[in-house]
């Protein structure tokens, strides 16, 4: 077979940032997308075409003629190879500008929406060590650098404990130091790898589905609590007990040490039992109340619980949602996609009643516990597919909502849920979104009955393209003849 001829397009200036963190430029009548970690706006580059479609081209840089004046030196040695923190080569202030524009572009271009002035994005107070949860993967197929491959020497240590290489399920980048989670996260990871190598424990082989060590999940809380969940391929207490005892002795800060046996052919563990080895089965996050006169809220986080991974910025996000709702104390509030009831409990003291809906039953049980430990007694939580759970019978039974807060997953709301929002006809809708593209689609479906009053972007994940956005909608006042 003949090789396809490589197509090189010379001397193109990267124009800006598009959706999903890709950079764009143009050639003739086509848009060209380039991975945002490989280039920066205002770079002048030669691009090699990797995919050509009717309306766009995908390409990678092969030569730089000028580097962008926006560029800064990345702080992590793994930048460019690791799949996270793709914007480390851009100043944080510049990242915020791109995210702000991404919000506006999505709402105006996808939603065709009339917007008020979009408020300046709320940046994160911490741009390093801001995550409270990370998952690392053990692998016997370490990602090797071009230099290592070129030597043709036998690799002394093929094992890795780190992150998946983008688009490679079977290759793991061994991490020396990660800037995402505060210590002792790095110490835990390095302690585990050294023990495993010293004791000849087998690292997992993703291709052949064999090996002892699979994953480790590290969760910390602003209360000082620290959880570690080890995930093994099979149950061998002669291997498990000494490893966990060693880890607990080396890192005594761990307050919850648990493990899971996962014999499946995938890494998902939500359906598997968790076994407590030492400490408590949960950690506790704290969050200031929406009302400064009220006690600090506590949220219990288990091994499988969802909690916003940037806890300090989550408070800013929920505060925006609460302020947009502007509750006076006599409202019935529906909190859709409530998760573990974080928003519901955060605003409960400002409302007459808050009703949380969520499709994960375990999350609903956690939400009820979170109300109980905070002595909140005006919340109710219901589990089920919101598309089917939220119907006219539900509204009749639990009361007409004055305000609906919705915080759906990246896929946005099902069209049936949007339709039910219209039927429920609350005075206000506060839409919290982690995906402005699907948010724009949903807002367009509501535009005939609701006006957009306020738009507030919030950055939860520095050095990535991800951005949250909160929109306040108010029901239109229909003219009467």
């Amino acid at each position: 077979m003949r090789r396809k001829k490589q197509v090189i397009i010379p001397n193109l200036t990267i124009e800006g940032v598009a959706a999903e963190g890709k950079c764009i430029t143009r050639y003739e009548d086509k848009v060209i997308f380039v991975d945002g970690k490989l280039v920066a706006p205002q770079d002048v580059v030669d691009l090699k075409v990797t995919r050509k479609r009717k309306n766009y081209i995908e390409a990678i840089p092969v030569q730089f003629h000028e580097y962008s004046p926006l560029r800064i030196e990345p702080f992590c040695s793994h930048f460019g190879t690791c799949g996270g923190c793709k914007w480390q080569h851009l100043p944080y202030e510049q990242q915020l500008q791109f995210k702000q524009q991404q919000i506006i572009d999505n709402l105006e271009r996808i939603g065709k929406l009339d917007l008020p002035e979009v408020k300046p994005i709320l940046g994160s107070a911490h741009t390093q060590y801001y995550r409270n949860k990370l998952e690392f993967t053990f692998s016997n197929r370490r990602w090797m650098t071009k230099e290592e491959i070129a030597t043709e020497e036998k690799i002394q240590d093929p094992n890795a404990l780190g992150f998946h290489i983008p688009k490679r399920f079977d290759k793991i980048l061994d991490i020396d130091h990660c800037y995402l989670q505060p210590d002792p996260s790095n110490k835990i990871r390095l302690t585990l790898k050294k023990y495993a190598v010293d004791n000849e424990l087998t690292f997992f082989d993703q291709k052949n589905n064999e090996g002892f060590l699979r994953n480790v999940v590290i969760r910390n809380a602003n209360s000082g609590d620290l959880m570690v969940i080890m995930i093994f391929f099979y149950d061998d207490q002669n291997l498990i007990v000494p490893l966990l005892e060693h880890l607990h002795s080396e890192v005594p800060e761990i307050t919850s040490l648990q493990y899971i046996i996962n014999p499946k052919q995938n890494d998902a563990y939500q359906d598997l039992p968790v076994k407590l080895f030492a400490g408590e089965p949960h950690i506790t996050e704290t969050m200031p109340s929406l009302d400064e006169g009220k006690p600090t809220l506590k949220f219990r986080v288990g091994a499988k619980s969802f909690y916003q991974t940037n806890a300090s910025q989550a408070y800013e996000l929920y505060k925006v949602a609460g302020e947009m709702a502007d509750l006076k104390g006599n409202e019935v509030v529906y909190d859709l996609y409530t998760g573990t009831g974080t928003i519901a409990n955060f605003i409960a003291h400002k409302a007459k009643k808050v009703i949380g809906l969520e499709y994960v039953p375990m999350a609903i049980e956690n939400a009820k516990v979170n109300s109980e430990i905070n002595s909140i007694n005006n919340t109710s939580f219901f589990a089920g597919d919101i598309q089917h759970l939220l119907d006219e019978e539900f509204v009749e039974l639990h009361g007409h909502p004055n305000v609906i807060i919705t915080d759906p997953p990246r896929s946005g709301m099902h069209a049936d849920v949007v339709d039910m929002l219209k039927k429920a006809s609350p005075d206000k809708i506060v839409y919290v979104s982690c995906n402005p593209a699907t948010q724009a689609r949903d807002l367009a479906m509501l535009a005939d009955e609701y006006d957009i009053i306020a738009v507030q972007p919030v950055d939860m994940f520095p050095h990535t393209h991800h951005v949250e956005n909160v929109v306040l909608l108010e029901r239109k006042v229909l003219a009467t003849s």
Side-chain angles (χ1 to χ4, degrees), residues 244-277:
L244 295 181
E245 286 180 341
H246 175 76
L247 178 62
H248 209 194
S249 124
E250 290 294 309
V251 191
E253 301 98 311
I254 296 172
T255 59
S256 175
L257 184 55
Q258 307 184 59
Y259 69 95
I260 295 171
I261 307 300
N262 179 9
K264 301 186 300 181
Q265 294 189 16
N266 61 67
D267 288 338
Y269 59 85
Q270 290 293 328
D271 59 334
L272 299 172
V274 182
K275 300 181 181 181
L276 180 66
F277 183 81

Side-chain angles (χ1 to χ4, degrees), residues 29 33 61 68 73 93 107 140 168 202 244 258 275 305 307 332 339 356 441 449 471 475:
D29 60 340
F33 293 103
S68 168
E73 189 67 26
E93 295 74 17
L107 297 184
N140 66 346
R168 291 297 302 267
T202 53
L244 295 181
Q258 307 184 59
K275 300 181 181 181
S305 301
Y307 194 83
V332 174
R441 178 203 66 201
E449 296 187 21
V471 173
R475 187 155 44 90

Side-chain angles (χ1 to χ4, degrees), residues 178-208:
C178 181
Y179 289 85
L180 282 172
Q181 190 174 35
D183 285 335
S185 178
N186 282 296
K187 180 181 179 181
I188 291 168
R189 188 188 64 258
L190 296 173
T191 297
L192 285 169
K193 187 184 178 190
K194 184 177 187 305
Y195 179 93
V197 171
D198 290 348
N199 290 273
E200 299 182 345
L201 302 182
T202 53
F203 287 52
F204 200 65
D205 185 322
Q206 277 84 6
K207 281 192 172 181
N208 298 315

Side-chain angles (χ1 to χ4, degrees), residues 337-339 357-364 382-386 389 408-409:
Y337 313 93
T338 191
L357 288 77
E358 167 64 42
Y359 61 92
V360 180
M362 182 175 289
I364 286 296
F382 301 90
D385 187 336
I386 295 175
L389 184 61

